[in-house]
Every structure is written in C-alpha cells, then in structure tokens.
Amino acid sequence: MTGDARRGSFYLPQPPSPHVPRCKPPSVQTPSPRTRPATADAARLRPPVPSALAYAVALAWCGLPLAAMAQSPASSGWDAPPALRSSPVLQEKIPEEVRTQLPVFVTGDRVEGQTDLNAVIEGNAELRRGDTVIRADRLDYNVPEDLAKAQGKVRINRAGNVYEGTALELRVEAFEGFFSDARYKFLANQAHGEATRVDFIDKDRAVVHNATYTTCERGNEASWEPDWVLRAGTIRIDNEEEVGTAEDAVLEFKGVPVLPIPYITFPLSDKRKSGLLPPTIGLDSRDGLAYMQPYYWNIAPNRDATLRAALMTKRGANLGGEFRYLEPTYKGEFSGDVMPEDRLRDRMRWGYTAKHEGSFNTGLGGLGLNINVNRVSDDNYWRDFGRASEVLRQRLLPGDATLSWARNDMSASVRTLKWQTLQDVTSPIVPPYDRMPQLQWRYAPTDLGGGFDASVVLDSTRFQAARELTGQPNANRSFAVAQISRPFLAPGGFVTPRLQLHTTQYQFDSALSNGDRSASRTLPTFSLDSGLVFERDAAYFGRAFLQTLEPRAFYTYTPYRDQSRLPVYDTAANDFNFATIYTENAFGGNDRLADNNLLTLGVTTRLLDPNTGAEAARFGIAQRLRFSDQQVTLPGVAPANERLSDVLLGAGITWTPEWGFDSTVQYNPKTGRSIRSTIGARYSPGNYRTVSAAYRLQRGTSEQIDIGWQWPLNSLWGGDKGQDAGKARGQGQGAGRWYSVGRLNYSLQDRKLVDTVVGLEYDSCCWIGRVVLERLQSGVTTSNTRLLFQIEFVGFSRLSLGSSPLETFKQNVPRYQYLREQVSTPSRFSNYD
C-alpha cells in the first residue's frame, strides 16, 4: 500500500534474511494512536455491530471456565510463583541472532512511502532500529537494500557513539556508508573531533579523514579551542579491538605543535592493545641524555610482551624486554636487559628475572613448580641501573626453584636455592648459604580420631657457601620433627596441649673447633596454650559495641642442650611481636632450639560493631615470665637471664572509616624506656585525600619519622570547585585543581632526610601534568636523585621526561590514587536517544 501522513509513524518490517526464516507480516495492521487517517472515508469508519453468533461464542468462552472453577479444588494458579523468562530488553549488546530480526521504525512530520519498499520522511525525521538511531531534516529509506540517505542536520547514535553532519548514506544493519562534514563523540572515553568525511567500514570499523581528536570537553562559546588536539590526515577507528590509528598527524598543546607523529596507535578504552608506548626521555649525570622507547605486543588475552630499547649518550645502547603468560594452572613472567658495551664500566652488562608458578594434577597426586631466578652481570649493577626492576636493585639476588608433590595427607618437595651476592668493598656482605638441594617430606593426617592433630616433617639440606666469607664449614643437615596436640575448643575458650620431638644430624665438610666432623641433637618440647573469651554489650562516646575480653596463657618447656659449637646456616632470632610471643622457639630456623621454661600471659580487648562485626578498636598487652635462664643463644649474643621480659603493648583504632591508628610498643619496665616502637596514623576523608604518618624507633639503631600524603591544594584555601565530581573514584576532583603528593622519611638519629618524594599534579580535565623530585637512599652513603616530568593526555597517551611519576607515586605514597582510572565501562544507555 502507499500512504501519506502528516506527523506520522510507520513500522517497516525488514526483508527476510537468507539465513533466518520468518513469517510474512499481515497486510493490515492497527494504526498507531498518533497516525491520522489519510482520507475522509477512513475517519467515518465505525466498529461493527456484534451478531448473535458472536454473543454465543463469548458466553461459551466465559461460562465454561466458571463452571470448571466451581468443581476444582480450592488451590488456584495465582498461588504459584510467576515464571520468569530472560528478555533482550535493555541488553548492553544486542545478540546477532536477534539483531537481524529487529524491525525498523520511522517517524517524522511528513511520512510517505510503500510498505516493504521505501519510506520518505521530512521534518524531524527519525529512523530507529535496535541500538541505532538516525535523525535528520530529510531521510529516505530503501527497505530491500536497508539503505538510509539523510540530509540536513543529520545525527547518528550507534550504541552511544554519536556522529553529526550534513549528509549521510548508510546501510543501517551492516553499518556501511559515509558521512560528510562530520563531528563525532565516542562513549567509552568521551573523545570527540571533526572530519571532512567519515567512512563506515562496518559496525566496528571506520576511517575518519582530515580529522581532529581530543578528550577535552567542548565549551559552548564559538571561540572554544581544546587544550590539546591530535590533527591527522587519517584516523582509523576499530571499536572491536578498541584501538585508534592515526597517520600523518601532529599533536598540539595549547595551540602549539609539540610532536609530529607520522604513525601512532592509541587506546579507545582501557583494553590492552599492541603498539608503541609513550617514550621516556631522561637526563642525569650518570647516563647523560637518555631516550627509551617501549613497544607493547598483545599476543593473546593471556599473553603479552613489552620490547624496549634505550639510547644513553654517555653509556651506549640498551635492549630489553618482558614476556608474561597466564594459564588456568600456571603463570609467569620473564624480563631481561642487555648492554653490548657499557662505556661506564667498559664491559657488557646484563640482568634478568624469571618467575613461574604452576600446579597440575596427575593420577599420583598434584605437582607444583615454582621458579624465581634473578641474575646480573656484575657487582655494580645495582648502583648503575636505577631504572631496573626493584629486585635487581638489591645486593642479594635469589635463584630459587621448587618442585613439589602432594596427595591426601602427604607432601614432598625438592628445592634448590642459590644466591648471587653483589659485594661492595666499602660495605661487604656475608653471603647466605645456598641450598643445593633441600629435600622435604611431610605427613599430616587429617583424621586421627579423638580430636588429635599430628604431623611429621623430614628434611635434608646441603648448605654451601664461600667459607672464607662465612667462617664456617659447609655441611649436610638432616632433621625430623614430630608433634601431636589435642585442642579442646569451646565457644568461650580453648586449651591446646602440644608435645614435639626435634632431632637433628650434621655432617661437616671440615672439622669443627673441637675436631668433630659430625654432630647430633635431640630435644623434646612441651607447650600448653589456653585462652578465654568474654563478651558484653557496651557503649562508648554514644556508640553501641560488643566488647570482648580475651585473656591468654601460654606455657612452654624445652630442656637445655649445649648448641654453642653448632654452626648457624638458616637461623635467626624471631622478631618480638604479638605473633611470636606465643610460640615455642625464640629462633626461626633449625640450628637453634631455645631452652625455654617460661609462661606468656596476655590479654586483648576488642570493640566490635554489633551489626557488622567490624572492629572499631583493639588493645592488647603481653609479657613473658621466665622461670630459668635461656642459655642457648646465637654467636655473640649474651644469654637471657631476666625473669620478666619486656612488655608488649599494642593498640589499633578504626573508629570511623576516615581515621585509623595502629601502634606496637616494646617497653622495658626496668629501664622505664621503650626498646622498639611503631606508631602510625592515617586520615582519609575521601578520594584523593589521604595523610599518613608513622614513628619508628629501634633503640640504639634508628629513629625515623615517615609522612605520606595526597591532597588537593585548592581545598587548603577554601576552593570547593569539583567537590561533587570528586565523589566518584577515578575522575579526580574536577578541572583546574592542584594536588600535592609526597612522602618524607626523616632520620632523627642522623638528622637528615633519608627518602624524599615530593610532587605536584595538575588536573585540567583532559590533561594532567606531573612533576616529581625523588631522592632515594641506595646505600649507607649514596643516594639517587631524579627530577621527573610527565604530561598525560587523558584517553590518548603520556609523555614523560625521566621515569614515570605515576610509578614513583604508587610505590612510595601510601594509598595513592590515580586521578584517572576507569572503574566501570560506560553503558550505551547513559547516552541513549
């Protein structure tokens, strides 16, 4: 049929797809309430008068169910819960099998056309199909070809991406065609620009000619210009890969061309993509002028690689790379760098790190393989490569590999550990012992009956190192540890007696001072751990709490055996804290077993929220009572003969989510002074607002104050611009705001700053500027100082002078937050027409 309607609305069914069978729509449809009759005769139509046969049919349909209900049970179908079915309504992405069957709706001030053939809409013309909406002054739609031609003020909204221009020719479903004199805006990153022409290749790809690209929010004034803009001869948009590619481009900042770019790829979202990463330019006295260019290779969703090349005017060229992989049962990464000729040391320099973690099941149990290997070319690597990874800037580099097996209650492992020690003539290090290899077997039955717990551990290790540095012979050490315990648990407390037997055998490569080439030791240990839990309702400062009182008593006894002649291979004194004060041995490792006859008493009280169980405050105190001297010590350490140990005090307060306080104090009641203290507090009232401070004291060794912060400077002088925007994480506090970020570590003992990181960030909405002064201690008398600059063009790229300030902030400033971080993918319904 043909028709002509004033301010009309047409439903245009799509032609049948060759792959999807469909029924032909009826030739007569109920007109829309907005549709006016095309002729006067249509306006005079009246509803037909029902006949006697129609009344009979109606009575039959209504009367029969009523008669059936009179004889049915009392239960009704209304009692059953409604059956829910999935619906494609408001789906973020329309499935392809549904998209091909979606109808086309057209509306406008004047609509005329032929059903299943074409429609011409003039005045406020609109065509809608699925997530595609076309609006124009005039629109001509050809149904068989699915071709829309629009003129005038043309606007397309495709799943939230908007294009505007003067002329359009488009195959709607295939999304193939072109747009003249276009402006565009993308939903994912709010980037927009202008172009002389946009060619739509398909629903995911487009080519933009003579284009501009920026993420700066457009102003209303006619003279508005973006702070930064990329002008390119061609920009290729790939929404499937979420990547843009610009050719023959130049980057302008504040109206000044700053960087010609023959070819560049850039992200359209936070999705990973292959391509050149922003270069880094550095200048310092050690490297000279340095240019570093990385390339990222997105191999697969679970694999990627980064290749990097650097040129330093004072040292030469450096090549490196990183490879990462992630599988369901294993993961790992490898990173390495090489300088064929480093003029700083006149030799080849290299360093690498390899990590692997994996496990898989076999018919005989589960197998696991963990590898952590770190190696460098020479002893000076840690001081000459300040941009190397953190682990390669240490002086002790582990090479560790472990193969493990587990099945039911048994497990076994084979481990090799070899250290590379980077020596400094001004500060030599006694190297730790290599384990070449270590064999271990463990049996821990889970169902002994009677409530008992037990375990047996067998271990044999070969320790070796340079004897001229350790002053001890290398050895083979084997030990066995068997323990059994019986926990008695109740809601109001617990009692756990434990009995342990530890036996050790040594075989030395050379004789000890007494001439022995072997040694053995067997010792039992008994312990009794007990505690009670009392609860009560309480109220403090107008808040209701559930308060607990948790007293605890721990007794342990180990008889004395002379161990002074035994070398020390893997043993050190345990740190004195709330975790170790309730343990049987004062040492970590297996070369020393403390002769203990002591009782530890402690009590803890906590304030818990009665509704959520969140801990608002915690206070604790503990002390050891020694019944006899502890004569077993490490070499050079005097025996412990004080009957009462230092008092351990601890407190943690999180009264509100904004405030936090935590402290641990080791107090000597005999001298009336604290031996060690750690006191910390933080204040975080919102996003991008955090201040933390800590005081650390090690009597006679160090005393330091550590302060870290991130804070918007505008709020310090009463500025409140952007407060509402700041409530959303990842969007900053609004445009035109300055932030101060930093961390200071000050030594009260040496009266100097040990580590310093002080920086400023400026958020201009579509670009962020950062400047950082970094001075980090690298040795007893040496430090590295760097001045870092960076401009981030939001949604496009970052340009850095020196290393990335973002990495410096993240590594050194507690609770630092990025000013731009996409925490959720925008929905197409947030920009819905």
Side-chain angles (χ1 to χ4, degrees), residues 676-695:
R676 289 194 316 162
S677 300
T678 301
I679 302 173
R682 66 161 180 83
Y683 175 57
S684 303
N687 291 322
Y688 317 106
R689 297 167 179 260
T690 181
V691 178
S692 61
Y695 169 78

Side-chain angles (χ1 to χ4, degrees), residues 751-820:
R751 297 185 178 181
K752 69 174 184 179
L753 285 170
V754 179
D755 292 333
T756 302
V757 175
V758 179
L760 290 174
E761 291 185 293
Y762 177 74
D763 187 351
S764 181
C765 186
C766 63
W767 64 272
I768 301 172
R770 300 180 178 94
V771 57
V772 184
L773 174 63
E774 176 192 82
R775 181 185 182 275
L776 301 178
Q777 200 80 13
S778 59
V780 178
T781 59
T782 60
S783 62
N784 292 327
T785 302
R786 298 187 296 177
L787 187 61
L788 312 177
F789 297 91
Q790 185 182 76
I791 295 181
E792 177 181 352
F793 302 103
V794 176
F796 179 65
S797 187
R798 299 185 183 121
L799 298 180
S800 301
L801 180 60
S803 297
S804 172
L806 280 176
E807 294 301 319
T808 297
F809 288 153
K810 202 68 175 177
Q811 291 174 5
N812 294 281
V813 180
R815 303 173 72 90
Y816 170 78
Q817 288 182 297
Y818 290 151
L819 295 182
R820 290 295 181 276

Side-chain angles (χ1 to χ4, degrees), residues 397-453:
L397 305 179
D400 196 356
T402 302
L403 178 64
S404 58
W405 168 86
R407 182 180 184 183
N408 299 329
D409 299 333
M410 288 188 294
S411 62
S413 64
V414 180
R415 181 188 184 190
T416 61
L417 172 61
K418 189 172 182 62
W419 295 90
Q420 181 182 8
T421 305
L422 307 186
Q423 295 291 358
D424 186 349
V425 294
T426 62
S427 179
I429 295 177
V430 177
Y433 278 89
D434 300 332
R435 306 185 185 203
M436 301 294 290
Q438 178 181 9
L439 309 176
Q440 189 175 95
W441 176 82
R442 176 183 174 85
Y443 175 63
T446 56
D447 189 10
L448 277 181
F452 285 92
D453 291 335

Side-chain angles (χ1 to χ4, degrees), residues 89 99 110 177 230 253 323 352 366 380-381 427 509 761 779 819:
V89 178
R99 182 184 292 275
R110 177 183 177 87
L230 181 73
F253 181 61
F323 171 68
Y352 68 87
N380 292 306
Y381 194 93
S427 179
D509 288 358
E761 291 185 293
L819 295 182

Side-chain angles (χ1 to χ4, degrees), residues 271-272 296 298-304 324-327:
K271 183 179 178 181
R272 302 181 310 172
Y296 179 76
N298 184 26
I299 303 172
N302 61 332
R303 285 182 174 85
D304 65 6
R324 302 185 301 177
Y325 55 91
L326 177 63
E327 297 289 347

Side-chain angles (χ1 to χ4, degrees), residues 168-296:
L168 169 71
E169 186 172 313
L170 181 73
R171 297 186 185 277
V172 179
E173 174 54 28
F175 213 72
E176 298 175 359
F178 68 89
F179 212 147
S180 299
D181 300 324
R183 293 191 303 176
Y184 59 89
K185 186 173 184 179
F186 300 132
L187 174 66
N189 60 358
Q190 298 299 301
H192 60 91
E194 300 176 352
T196 58
R197 178 183 171 105
V198 177
D199 291 327
F200 299 108
I201 309 302
D202 55 34
K203 60 184 180 62
D204 293 316
R205 281 166 283 274
V207 180
V208 188
H209 302 276
N210 299 320
T212 63
Y213 183 91
T214 183
T215 57
C216 297
E217 186 176 355
R218 180 180 295 276
N220 295 323
E221 62 275 10
S223 60
W224 175 85
E225 290 290 338
D227 283 356
W228 73 268
V229 62
L230 181 73
R231 302 186 186 276
T234 303
I235 296 180
R236 302 180 185 275
I237 303 298
D238 190 334
N239 288 313
E240 182 179 16
E241 297 295 331
E242 299 179 13
V243 174
T245 304
E247 299 174 3
D248 190 21
V250 61
L251 179 64
E252 293 184 5
F253 181 61
K254 295 292 186 179
V256 179
V258 295
L259 187 65
I261 308 174
Y263 178 88
I264 190 175
T265 62
F266 53 91
L268 300 179
S269 69
D270 287 344
K271 183 179 178 181
R272 302 181 310 172
K273 70 177 188 66
S274 298
L276 292 173
L277 298 178
T280 298
I281 301 174
L283 179 64
D284 58 39
S285 58
R286 180 186 59 197
D287 301 336
L289 179 64
Y291 177 86
M292 286 146 283
Q293 179 62 66
Y295 177 84
Y296 179 76

